[in-house]
Amino acid sequence: MTRLITEELVLLDMHLGSTSTEVIAQLSRTVAATGRATDTAALQRDAVAREQKTATGVPGGIAIPHCRSAAVTEPTLAMARLAPAVDFGAKDGPADLIFFIAAPEGADKEHLKLLSKLARSLVKKDFTAALRAAGSPAEIVALVETAVSPAPAADVAAAAPAPAPSARRRLVAVTACPTGIAHTYMAADSLVAAAAEAGIDLQVETQGSSGATPLDPAVIAAAEAVIFAVDVDVRGKERFAGKPVIQSPVKRGIDEPAVMVAEALAAATNPNARRVASGTGSADTSGGSPAGRESAGAALKRALLTGVSYMIPFVAGGGLLIALGFLLGGYQVTTVADKVLAANTLFNLPGADVVAQIGAQFGPMGVYLGAVAFKIGALSMGFLVPVLAGYIAYAFADRPGLAPGFTAGAVAGFMGAGFLGGIAGGLIAGLAARWIGSWKTPRWLRGLMPVVIIPLLGSIIASGLMFLVLGGPIAALTAGLNGWLSGMSGVAAALLGLILGLMMAFDLGGPVNKVAYSFAVAGLGAGAVANQAPWQIMAAVMAAGMVPPLAMALATVLDRRLFSTAERENGKAAWLLGAAFISEGAIPFAAADPLRVIPASMLGAGVTGTMIMATGVTSQAPHGGIFVFFAIGNLPMFALSIVVGTVISALAVVALKRYARKTPSAAAATVEHSAATEQVAA
C-alpha cells in the first residue's frame, strides 16, 4: 500500500492565502505536483464544492478539507501549518493546522480506514500539540504514520466501547457525512468523549466510507434515546423506531457534543419529544451492510424491508396521483389518457365527445388534468418493481448492487412477474454483486469493480436467470395470486381482513406489523378498477394500524385515573398520530402495560380489518390515514370502521385495567414482556 503522506506533501509555517478557497487551491497544486492528481483545477473544484456543503473547520484550530475526485489517482493526505491562520468556519476561530484529504472515486476501504483514523486522532489534544511542535516535514510524516498505524487490540473503536455498568444511563448515536471520511469519525469520538465525562454510556455507529458495523439490536433496545449527527440519511433508521431522537448536522457533533448528549438525556424523559418513526411512518429508511453477526434470516428481513421502504415514496406519489386522476376525470380516464395527452394541451382541451365518452363530471379541463395526474401516477408506479429489486440488492451489496437490482426488477416487470419477481430478482442481484465484490482482484482493477465489473456481471447473472429460468414460473404464480385475491369475497375476504388487522396491532411497528404492511404495499401496484382487491387490502392495513393509537387516546379520556401523567400527555399526541396512520403512537402504552394494551389493540384492529374487507373499502394511498381521504373508496365506511375498532379497543383496555388485576407473577411477566416489546419496536 502506498504512503498516504510524504514529506513533499507537508507545508510548514507558510502563508497560503487569506481564505479557505486559496488554501485549498495551493494544497490541490501540491497534490498534483507529486503526481497524485491529474487535474489541479478539477481537484480544487471538488474540494471547494465539498467545503460549501459544510465548513470543515473544527474546534482547536484545525480544518480538514476533503473530497472524492476523479482527478485523484491514489488516496492522499497533504498537510499545512499556516502562518497566519485562516478561517475555515470553526466557531472558536481560524485554523492553523490544515489536513487536506484527497480520495479517488474508487478508493479501497483500507485506505479510507486509514484516513478516517487520522481524522479521529485530530480530536486528541496531545496529537495536535505534537503537530504544532514538529520542526520538520519528516517529523510530521512520522506522527501521521504512527496515528494511522494498526492499533493494539485494546484500542477499541468508538463504535463499540466496552459495555457500561447497568446503573449508567445509556444512549446510542449514528454519525454520517456526505463523503464519510473525516467528520463522521470525529463526531463519533467527540460524542463518546463528552458522554464519558458525563458518566453516560454512549455507543456510536459510524456510517462512513470505510464501512459500518451496525449497532447490536440489544444495545439499541436498552438505549433511552438516540442521537443522529448526520448530513445524509441514516441507513437502517427503522431499527431505532420509537426512540426519542436528537438530530443535527454532523459538525455539531464535533462542535457541541456535550450539548447534544444533554439534549438526548432530556428527550429521554420528555413524553412529547420527537421520536424515530418506523417504516410505516417514514420512507427514509435504508439498509447498510449486514453485520458480521447477522443471521441469514435477519439479513433477508432487513433487505426486504429496505426495498419496501425505498419503494413507498413511488407507491405513495403514484397512488395519490392516480386517485386524483380518477377524481378529476372519472375511472374511465384510463382509456383515453394517452390519446388526450398526445392530442391536447391546456390551450387545446379535449372535445365534448371525449367528455361524454368517459362521463367526466368536471368537463374538458377535468378530463385533461385527470389524464395528466393519472399518467404521472402510472409512470411513478412503473418504477415500483425496479426500485423494490434495486434496493433489496443495495441492502446486500451497497451501491454496486443498485444497477443489477434495478435491471432485474425491470426484467421482472417486463415478464409480468410483479413484486414477487422483483423480490427474487433483487435477492439474486444483491447476492451476486456481493459475491463478485468479494473477489480478490489486482489493485489496478479495484477502481473498476464497483462501477463496471460488478454492475455488468451482476446484471448478467440476475437478469439472465430471470429471463431463462425464474421469470415465467413467477409470472404464472403472480397471475394466480392476483386471480385469487380478485375473486375473494364474503367470509374469505373478512377473514383476511381479520388476520391483517391482528398483525398490524400485534407489535405496533415491529416485524409482524411490517410483514402485513409490506404485503399490502407490494401488491398495491397491481390494483386497478377491474381488480380492486389490492386496494382493499391496503385500506384494511391502514385502517387497522390507525386503531391502536386512537384507542389509547380515547381511553385516556374515558378514565384518566387509569393512566400516568406521562401516558395522558402521550394520549394527546396519539390522536394526531393515529389519524395519520402512525401506529407507534401506542408504543408508550404497550411498553408500560403490554398484557392489557396489546390484546385490547388487537381486538379493535381485527374488527376494523374485518369490516373494511367485508364492505369493499379501498385505498390507493399506502400511507397518510384520514389525510388522504380523496384516495379512499367508500370513505364513510372507512371512517366508521376505524371508529368502531377504536371504541372497542378503548373500552377493552379500560376494562382490563379496571378489572384484570396483576398478581405478583403477572407483574413480573409484564416487566419482561415490556422489555421485549420495546426491543421489537426498535
Side-chain angles (χ1 to χ4, degrees):
M1 183 181 295
T2 57
R3 299 171 71 186
L4 291 173
I5 187 171
T6 63
E7 294 180 30
E8 293 77 19
L9 292 165
V10 179
L11 306 175
L12 294 183
D13 305 318
M14 297 180 65
H15 176 58
L16 301 184
S18 57
T19 67
S20 60
T21 299
E22 292 174 354
V23 174
I24 289 173
Q26 182 57 56
L27 290 171
S28 298
R29 287 191 286 271
T30 301
V31 172
T34 62
R36 292 173 176 242
T38 58
D39 188 335
T40 302
L43 174 57
Q44 177 185 343
R45 184 170 57 251
D46 292 337
V48 171
R50 171 62 187 87
E51 190 76 13
Q52 291 173 346
K53 292 180 180 178
T54 307
T56 57
V58 296
I62 302 166
I64 316 173
H66 55 279
C67 70
R68 290 174 178 267
S69 176
V72 179
T73 57
E74 58 185 301
T76 299
L77 178 67
M79 184 269 186
R81 194 168 65 196
L82 301 181
V86 173
D87 183 17
F88 272 78
K91 290 186 175 181
D92 63 346
D96 64 326
L97 291 180
I98 314 299
F99 278 87
F100 180 43
I101 298 174
E105 289 286 4
D108 60 74
K109 288 189 176 182
E110 292 307 313
H111 276 111
L112 293 173
K113 286 180 180 179
L114 296 181
L115 292 173
S116 62
K117 285 190 68 176
L118 170 70
R120 304 179 94 142
S121 298
L122 292 174
V123 301
K124 301 176 181 177
K125 295 181 179 179
D126 56 345
F127 179 65
T128 55
L131 291 173
R132 289 191 170 94
S136 68
E139 290 183 47
I140 295 290
V141 171
L143 286 168
V144 171
E145 290 184 339
T146 300
V148 300
S149 61
D155 184 17
V156 295
S166 57
R168 298 176 70 181
R169 299 186 67 178
R170 297 182 179 182
L171 302 173
V172 290
V174 176
T175 61
C177 66
T179 50
I181 297 175
H183 286 69
T184 298
Y185 302 93
M186 296 181 71
D189 283 0
S190 298
L191 287 167
V192 168
E197 290 179 4
I200 306 300
D201 174 34
L202 172 66
Q203 300 199 36
V204 184
E205 176 178 319
T206 52
Q207 296 185 353
S209 294
S210 58
T213 301
L215 289 167
D216 191 305
V219 172
I220 297 174
E224 298 177 46
V226 58
I227 296 171
F228 291 152
V230 296
D231 290 331
V232 295
D233 287 343
V234 175
R235 299 200 294 267
K237 186 183 287 186
E238 73 280 353
R239 297 170 296 153
F240 305 92
K243 295 289 183 184
V245 61
I246 297 297
Q247 182 164 343
S248 295
V250 66
K251 197 167 183 295
R252 187 169 181 243
I254 303 171
D255 296 339
E256 301 176 350
V259 176
M260 293 193 73
V261 169
E263 289 174 351
L265 294 174
T269 58
N270 180 5
N272 297 318
R274 176 187 174 193
R275 294 178 181 270
V276 182
S278 75
T280 59
S282 175
D284 55 1
T285 59
S286 63
S289 302
R293 299 184 297 273
E294 191 174 37
S295 66
L300 177 61
K301 183 186 77 173
R302 177 179 54 79
L304 293 175
L305 292 179
T306 298
V308 170
S309 68
Y310 276 96
M311 180 183 72
I312 287 173
F314 293 89
V315 180
L320 290 172
L321 283 166
I322 289 174
L324 183 59
F326 289 158
L327 177 66
L328 295 173
Y331 282 113
Q332 297 302 315
V333 75
T334 59
T335 62
V336 299
D338 289 352
K339 177 182 175 181
V340 167
L341 294 176
N344 302 109
T345 68
L346 276 174
F347 307 102
N348 177 28
L349 295 174
D353 57 330
V354 177
V355 176
Q357 177 185 343
I358 64 175
Q361 297 181 356
F362 297 102
M365 180 63 77
V367 172
Y368 181 73
L369 294 179
V372 170
F374 168 76
K375 194 61 181 179
I376 296 174
L379 291 172
S380 176
M381 295 291 275
F383 288 103
L384 189 153
V385 175
V387 169
L388 174 66
Y391 281 97
I392 287 175
Y394 170 82
F396 281 108
D398 215 289
R399 291 184 183 179
L402 282 174
F406 270 82
T407 305
V411 171
F414 172 77
M415 300 190 71
F419 78 91
L420 293 178
I423 291 172
L427 291 174
I428 296 170
L431 293 173
R434 186 174 177 182
W435 171 61
I436 297 167
S438 69
W439 293 355
K440 301 297 182 183
T441 56
R443 189 173 182 276
W444 60 267
L445 189 60
R446 292 177 190 170
L448 292 176
M449 289 295 289
V451 295
V452 178
I453 307 300
I454 297 176
L456 174 63
L457 297 182
S459 296
I460 291 173
I461 292 171
S463 298
L465 285 174
M466 288 300 297
F467 267 124
L468 301 175
V469 180
L470 299 174
I474 295 177
L477 177 61
T478 299
L481 177 61
N482 287 336
W484 173 67
L485 291 175
S486 299
M488 185 176 290
S489 61
V491 175
L495 180 60
L496 178 59
L498 173 64
I499 294 172
L500 292 172
L502 294 175
M503 293 175 69
M504 289 300 294
F506 178 74
D507 52 5
L508 305 173
V512 176
N513 171 287
K514 284 186 171 65
V515 167
Y517 182 73
S518 299
F519 170 69
V521 172
L524 197 56
V529 176
N531 175 24
Q532 299 192 14
W535 296 347
Q536 294 172 14
I537 291 171
M538 190 71 252
V541 164
M542 184 154 64
M546 295 167 65
V547 166
L550 291 174
M552 296 307 107
L554 178 59
T556 60
V557 173
L558 294 177
D559 196 337
R560 293 171 53 86
R561 297 171 300 173
L562 298 175
F563 299 91
S564 67
T565 301
E567 286 177 325
R568 291 197 293 270
E569 289 299 315
N570 285 328
K572 296 176 183 177
W575 286 112
L576 180 60
L577 295 176
F581 179 35
I582 300 176
S583 303
E584 289 78 7
I587 285 179
F589 300 90
D593 193 1
L595 296 182
R596 294 182 178 87
V597 170
I598 290 178
S601 297
M602 291 175 66
L603 180 61
V607 171
T608 295
T610 302
M611 291 178 64
I612 292 289
M613 289 296 293
T615 56
V617 177
T618 62
S619 172
Q620 292 165 251
H623 212 278
I626 200 65
F627 298 104
V628 291
F629 61 90
F630 61 89
I632 305 297
N634 197 352
L635 181 61
M637 183 53 67
F638 179 79
L640 177 62
S641 300
I642 294 171
V643 169
V644 170
T646 297
V647 171
I648 290 174
S649 286
L651 293 176
V653 77
V654 167
L656 288 172
K657 283 181 175 289
R658 283 181 180 177
Y659 306 116
R661 300 295 182 184
K662 292 183 183 179
T663 64
S665 59
T670 297
V671 173
E672 180 179 354
H673 193 95
S674 175
T677 302
E678 289 182 348
Q679 183 172 350
V680 165

